[in-house]
Amino acid sequence: KAGVTQTPRYLIKTRGQQVTLSCSPISGHRSVSWYQQTPGQGLQFLFEYFSETQRNKGNFPGRFSGRQFSNSRSEMNVSTLELGDSALYLCASSPGQGAFSGELFFGEGSRLTVL
Amino acid sequence: AQSVTQPDIHITVSEGASLELRCNYSYGATPYLFWYVQSPGQGLQLLLKYFSGDTLVQGIKGFEAEFKRSQSSFNLRKPSVHWSDAAEYFCAVGAQAAGNKLTFGGGTRVLVKP
């Protein structure tokens, strides 16, 4: 079974631009979560989607948004990029039909650098 | 609100020696607890999880963890470390009502000396 695939793996943007990151979950997984990882703040939860609905949201500004498609693939978008948005963005999918599994399967991440 | 503290930022251990990583959590109800490992340039991989039952849980790669409610701790242990165990380890807490939202600790970076 293929793992969680994130694209692109690396990207460089300038302040004020926007970026879209993509995540393909493990086949059959309907939950997709996004996390931001930075040296200063560590791993922080952005949001979770389950069956195309946002089920949970972290404490990030509205510039951070996401969506999930009917095939469970997910995208997240960051608009009006700031220097502080430089981070590793990790996508994780989760099996199970219920509200909670806790077992997250992570992709290798998309490393965003904002100049 | 949930929180997780990993008191040790870095730990250096000799190959073949034992390893213990500390994790303390704060959560009002019975927590769901996890340990994940991240190798350089990689995503995170689940080592083990605790939901209920036996407080000593076994995971992959020879790791185990013990849940101690009285100490609000969930420490990770390995009897004999291999060079490939050099990585960053994250403790996390979740709750059934929170979906798959996990709160992670700051991580402990493990260096293995030959």
Side-chain angles (χ1 to χ4, degrees), chain A residues 23-74:
Chain A
C23 172
S24 294
I26 292 172
S27 178
H29 288 191
R30 293 164 60 191
S31 165
V32 173
S33 304
W34 289 88
Y35 287 81
Q36 182 196 64
Q37 186 176 26
T38 60
Q41 300 298 316
L43 280 154
Q44 293 187 286
F45 173 79
L46 281 157
F47 26 64
E48 181 200 4
Y49 288 87
F50 183 84
S51 294
E52 301 179 67
T53 301
Q54 187 179 85
R55 188 159 69 176
N56 250 312
K57 192 176 189 306
N59 295 323
F60 279 82
R63 300 186 296 107
F64 292 80
S65 63
R67 59 178 176 169
Q68 186 180 33
F69 302 95
S70 58
N71 61 359
S72 293
R73 190 177 70 85
S74 177

Side-chain angles (χ1 to χ4, degrees), chain A residues 9 31 33 35 37 43 45 48 55-58 88 90 94-95 99-109, chain B residues 32 34 36 38 41-46 49 51 88 90 94-106:
Chain A
R9 290 291 314 280
S31 165
S33 304
Y35 287 81
Q37 186 176 26
L43 280 154
F45 173 79
E48 181 200 4
R55 188 159 69 176
N56 250 312
K57 192 176 189 306
L88 181 66
L90 291 164
S94 186
F100 178 77
S101 165
E103 184 168 1
L104 304 181
F105 292 80
F106 283 84
E108 294 183 322
Chain B
Y32 297 138
F34 308 85
Y36 282 83
Q38 185 177 33
Q42 303 292 312
L44 281 74
Q45 181 184 22
L46 178 67
K49 62 185 178 184
F51 284 3
E88 190 155 21
F90 294 92
Q96 190 158 19
N100 284 309
K101 173 184 177 181
L102 298 186
T103 299
F104 285 86

Side-chain angles (χ1 to χ4, degrees), chain B residues 34-66:
Chain B
F34 308 85
W35 276 99
Y36 282 83
V37 60
Q38 185 177 33
S39 298
Q42 303 292 312
L44 281 74
Q45 181 184 22
L46 178 67
L47 285 175
L48 47 78
K49 62 185 178 184
Y50 173 79
F51 284 3
S52 64
D54 193 347
T55 56
L56 185 64
V57 293
Q58 303 295 321
I60 62 171
K61 304 186 180 186
F63 285 93
E64 66 178 25
E66 186 171 13

Side-chain angles (χ1 to χ4, degrees), chain B residues 48-98:
Chain B
L48 47 78
K49 62 185 178 184
Y50 173 79
F51 284 3
S52 64
D54 193 347
T55 56
L56 185 64
V57 293
Q58 303 295 321
I60 62 171
K61 304 186 180 186
F63 285 93
E64 66 178 25
E66 186 171 13
F67 170 60
K68 292 186 177 180
R69 184 188 301 276
S70 61
Q71 298 177 20
S72 297
S73 69
F74 188 56
N75 294 349
L76 181 71
R77 298 192 293 255
K78 185 169 184 177
S80 177
V81 168
H82 186 262
W83 64 265
S84 60
D85 293 322
E88 190 155 21
Y89 292 79
F90 294 92
C91 182
V93 64
Q96 190 158 19

